[in-house]
Amino acid sequence: ESGQAEWRHAEWRHAEWRVEQNQTMSFVAAPEGKLLCVSGTAWITQSGDTRDYILHAGETLSLKSGAKVVLQSLTEAAILRQT
C-alpha cells in the first residue's frame, strides 16, 4: 500500500481516490473534467498550466482535457473525485 492511492471507483470519467498525507498520485484528466476535494486538503498541478493549486474540502478545479494531473495530500488523508 505504501505510495499507492486507494481506488474507490475506477471509471474513466468518474473516479474517486483516498490519498494519504504526503502521498502523491497522477492520472490523465477526462474531457471537460473537474476535480472535487471531498475532504482534506490537496496540492494539484497539471500539464499545460504553470500554476499550482491548493484545494480544500468542497472546492473544485477545472481540469484541462487530457492533461497529466499530479496531486498530493497535505492533510492526514484527502478524498478527491474527478467528475
Side-chain angles (χ1 to χ4, degrees):
E1 279 195 30
S2 176
Q4 296 296 316
E6 175 187 332
W7 285 85
R8 296 238 172 169
H9 184 252
E11 181 184 330
W12 166 247
R13 183 81 168 110
H14 302 283
E16 185 171 290
W17 306 276
R18 177 186 172 89
V19 185
E20 298 299 326
Q21 186 171 17
N22 296 322
Q23 183 179 45
T24 59
M25 65 163 288
S26 64
F27 63 94
V28 175
E32 300 178 18
K34 291 187 185 283
L35 189 63
L36 166 66
C37 185
V38 177
S39 67
T41 303
W43 164 85
I44 295 103
T45 191
Q46 60 183 329
S47 60
D49 188 343
T50 59
R51 295 168 288 186
D52 290 346
Y53 301 90
I54 302 292
L55 289 187
H56 301 279
E59 295 180 334
T60 61
L61 174 65
S62 293
L63 301 173
K64 296 180 178 291
S65 179
K68 180 177 180 183
V69 179
V70 178
L71 60 88
Q72 180 178 29
S73 176
L74 301 177
T75 54
E76 186 173 314
I79 297 178
L80 296 115
R81 180 181 303 141
Q82 179 177 225
T83 60

